[in-house]
Amino acid sequence: EIALVGKYVGLHDAYLSVVESLAHAGIINDVKVDIRWVDSETLTDESAAQALEGCQGVLVPGGFGSRGIDGMLAAVKYAREHKVPYFGICLGMQMAVVEFARHAAGLAGAHSSELCPDTPHPVIDLMPDQVGVTAKGGTMRLGAYPCHLTSPEGPCGRAYGVQDISERHRHRYEFNNDYREVLTSKGLVFAGLSPDGRLVEAVEIPDHPWFVGVQFHPEFKSRPNKAHPLF
């Protein structure tokens, strides 16, 4: 049973690609994957244990806007602290970084500047060359981009079995490189980088059974006869 924590759970088709990818993964592993739909708008730190207890994994998928963000952060915190396998995709990766910055690195008020422009610690932010650009569609990172996996022994490295991959993207905001050192010192691993090392594509937490956040959308490449490695 996998808890899918999102803001659009009232319309299951909004996450169809993710649900199908979980089914593909079930096929290759000879298991049936049950989805536990969890509304991130109603989830809190206090209710997370009851809402997520007993599931074998927590997945926070992509999305846009500030609605339901606190619930996603509560899901990340529960999964990280209770050692429940966690998979964050796009926004789910960004919220994993925000939660880690707040509660593991002590950066109070850390957030994405997309969702909280006044945050004192914009761990997710626009790249410098995007600042001032107002045509949002033109600044999005869309389509396939190469990624170099830095940790062959980590969850991503073991899943893919290779170090150089290509994955599809659909986002605008990126990890803020100003916070690489402080988050690394607290245990966050930057497991995937753009070939030039400039963009953070994947994060992991080593002292956890399986904690992965990816900036890209692996669900776009999963197929019934070829499950995506991360799923």
Side-chain angles (χ1 to χ4, degrees):
E1 187 175 20
I2 304 297
L4 197 159
V5 183
K7 65 177 78 176
Y8 314 125
V9 295
L11 179 65
H12 290 183
D13 278 4
Y15 299 117
L16 185 60
S17 296
V18 172
V19 172
E20 289 296 306
S21 297
L22 289 169
H24 303 161
I27 292 169
I28 199 170
N29 287 288
D30 197 29
V31 295
K32 180 181 183 296
V33 179
D34 291 323
I35 306 292
R36 184 187 300 185
W37 296 94
V38 179
D39 187 347
S40 66
E41 280 198 274
T42 62
L43 194 66
T44 64
D45 285 342
E46 292 71 33
S47 67
Q50 183 177 4
L52 302 174
E53 188 176 13
C55 64
Q56 281 76 55
V58 174
L59 191 156
V60 175
F64 288 90
S66 59
R67 182 166 61 89
I69 290 299
D70 289 343
M72 295 178 190
L73 291 170
V76 176
K77 186 170 186 283
Y78 178 87
R80 183 177 62 83
E81 293 182 345
H82 291 81
K83 307 295 186 183
V84 178
Y86 176 81
F87 191 12
I89 298 173
C90 199
L91 181 62
M93 172 269 200
Q94 296 180 352
M95 291 306 99
V97 170
V98 168
E99 192 280 329
F100 187 91
R102 289 182 182 182
H103 301 120
L107 301 177
H111 219 313
S112 164
S113 63
E114 179 183 22
L115 307 172
C116 181
D118 298 327
T119 174
H121 297 292
V123 291
I124 304 296
D125 201 4
L126 285 177
M127 298 297 288
D129 54 4
Q130 291 178 307
V131 175
V133 178
T134 57
K136 290 187 178 181
T139 62
M140 289 186 79
R141 212 150 49 99
L142 287 168
Y145 283 82
C147 170
H148 179 74
L149 300 179
T150 63
S151 178
E153 301 306 314
C156 290
R158 294 198 308 271
Y160 282 98
V162 296
Q163 283 192 273
D164 293 299
I165 61 173
S166 174
E167 291 286 356
R168 292 170 62 186
H169 294 68
R170 189 179 187 276
H171 69 279
R172 185 172 182 231
Y173 284 69
E174 305 277 358
F175 177 85
N176 185 345
N177 289 320
D178 292 344
Y179 290 91
R180 279 200 193 191
E181 186 175 346
V182 63
L183 296 189
T184 299
S185 71
K186 296 300 182 179
L188 192 67
V189 171
F190 301 116
L193 300 172
S194 57
D196 62 4
R198 181 166 171 256
L199 302 173
V200 173
E201 297 275 22
V203 297
E204 299 171 351
I205 298 178
D207 60 343
H208 192 283
W210 204 92
F211 191 103
V212 171
V214 296
Q215 184 61 80
F216 46 81
H217 286 271
E219 71 272 24
F220 291 164
K221 293 183 72 173
S222 187
R223 299 293 181 266
N225 61 343
K226 191 178 182 181
H228 189 283
L230 293 177
F231 282 96

